[in-house]
Amino acid sequence: MRRVVLIAIPYLWLLCLFLVPFVIVLKISLSDTALAIPPYTPTLDLSEGWEGIRNFFVELDFENFSFLTTDDLYWKAYLSSLKIATVATILTLLVAYPIAYGMAAAPDHWRPTLMMLVILPFWTSFLIRVYSWVGILSSEGYLNQFLLSIGIISSPLTILNTNTAVYIGIVYTYLPFMILPIYSALERMDGSLLEAAEDLGCSRITAFWLVTFPLSKNGIIAGCFLVFIPTIGEFVIPSLLGGSRTLMIGKVLWEEFFNNRDWPVASAVAVILLLLLIIPIILFQRNEQKQREAEG
């Protein structure tokens, strides 16, 4: 009975917080737009019993999904989101790996303090942390004032409302999600392996690429998935830092839901986005399973 309860808890969690909301969104995506509250006419009416279910499958159409192929906005938003998420994940990895490596190489008594510094931003609201970059990256912001004061630039840089600002916001926000898995992998590494590699004639750089980097691969993969998956559907960062020119599917989804009030089309956009994210989620789960089996 204890084993059944332990297994049932995560499945109930997934059922309530993933499967049920997905079914609701899928049902709305197959509905028709209407001037009502809520602004759609459901094609599945469970109050009619089996007759309603039969009519649903008889009259089933994917008009809202086919509509997404008629407008360039949607597929461009998907491609732009994939591009921004991929580039931002790579940039986050380049920044996070040296930090995680330095934490793993630090003395034991310093590691808790360094860990606290990494997770310290989580003590502040996500929205406040992102919005603070508006005051830093704007034309009259602290960054331009600093660069002008030391004479590096002669006129303010245009960073806010560009993709550069979006990359900065994403790297800053999701950096801990990349650092912690890599640090966890590096911390468990046996230091005697590096000593053996150096004894066999490897330089420190060669030993890093032949020993350290391969052993941290699982942490890198986990960190990349933890950054890429939420970034591709990000809405707050591109809205505050990217401006109107930054095209991401999260912004399109918000506009369809709240500005256009076209819930069926917005739900179709969300369903396709979720299907796109299922692939990296499955790959992430398989990587975690392989990592657990290797540790076992």
Side-chain angles (χ1 to χ4, degrees):
M1 181 59 66
R2 292 179 180 177
R3 182 178 301 177
V4 172
V5 172
L6 290 175
I7 296 175
I9 291 176
Y11 279 99
L12 288 175
W13 180 273
L14 291 174
L15 175 66
C16 296
L17 299 181
F18 177 77
L19 185 59
V20 172
F22 175 74
V23 171
I24 295 173
V25 173
L26 180 62
K27 174 187 173 183
I28 298 175
S29 69
L30 299 174
S31 303
D32 300 321
T33 305
L35 295 176
I37 299 177
Y40 66 91
T41 301
T43 54
L44 175 60
D45 190 358
L46 296 178
S47 63
E48 298 179 0
W50 288 108
E51 185 67 20
I53 298 177
R54 188 185 70 83
N55 293 335
F56 169 74
F57 285 102
V58 170
E59 301 174 1
L60 182 63
D61 65 76
F62 297 91
E63 180 181 355
N64 297 315
F65 291 93
S66 61
F67 173 75
L68 300 182
T69 62
T70 62
D71 195 333
D72 295 345
L73 171 68
Y74 300 102
W75 67 265
K76 286 182 178 179
Y78 283 117
L79 292 179
S80 178
S81 297
L82 287 171
K83 173 189 172 184
I84 292 175
T86 302
V87 174
T89 301
I90 295 173
L91 294 175
T92 307
L93 175 61
L94 294 177
V95 176
Y97 198 97
I99 299 175
Y101 185 84
M103 291 173 58
D108 293 341
H109 64 275
W110 278 106
R111 292 181 184 180
T113 302
L114 297 175
M115 179 73 71
M116 185 193 69
L117 293 177
V118 170
I119 65 176
L120 191 62
F122 289 112
W123 296 4
T124 308
S125 170
F126 167 74
L127 184 61
I128 294 176
R129 286 187 284 122
V130 175
Y131 197 79
S132 64
W133 280 100
V134 176
I136 297 174
L137 301 177
S138 63
S139 299
E140 298 81 16
Y142 294 109
L143 179 60
N144 277 313
Q145 291 181 11
F146 174 73
L147 296 177
L148 288 170
S149 64
I150 61 178
I152 294 181
I153 59 175
S154 57
S155 59
L157 299 175
T158 303
I159 303 177
L160 192 64
N161 297 329
T162 64
N163 285 348
T164 302
V166 175
Y167 290 135
I168 293 174
I170 292 174
V171 171
Y172 165 75
T173 302
Y174 292 100
L175 189 62
F177 295 99
M178 184 72 76
I179 292 176
L180 295 178
I182 298 176
Y183 167 72
S184 178
L186 292 173
E187 188 186 26
R188 295 194 303 267
M189 188 181 66
D190 188 358
S192 62
L193 297 175
L194 291 176
E195 296 177 359
E198 293 178 2
D199 291 339
L200 293 174
C202 291
S203 62
R204 289 192 175 184
I205 297 178
T206 305
F208 170 81
W209 287 111
L210 293 179
V211 179
T212 304
F213 190 79
L215 290 178
S216 62
K217 182 181 67 175
N218 290 332
I220 293 174
I221 294 174
C224 288
F225 280 132
L226 290 175
V227 173
F228 178 83
I229 291 173
T231 298
I232 196 173
E234 182 61 54
F235 163 72
V236 175
I237 296 175
S239 295
L240 293 179
L241 303 180
S244 59
R245 293 186 179 182
T246 302
L247 183 62
M248 292 192 71
I249 199 62
K251 292 178 60 178
V252 175
L253 190 62
W254 172 274
E255 291 173 358
E256 290 292 348
F257 261 116
F258 297 99
N259 293 342
N260 300 337
R261 291 189 60 79
D262 194 342
W263 287 21
V265 171
S267 299
V269 173
V271 169
I272 293 178
L273 176 62
L274 182 60
L275 293 177
L276 290 175
L277 290 177
I278 283 178
I279 297 176
I281 290 174
I282 293 175
L283 293 176
F284 174 70
Q285 289 179 340
R286 289 185 177 180
N287 176 72
E288 289 293 307
Q289 183 178 0
K290 290 181 179 179
Q291 186 176 358
R292 287 193 295 268
E293 291 176 355
E295 292 175 354

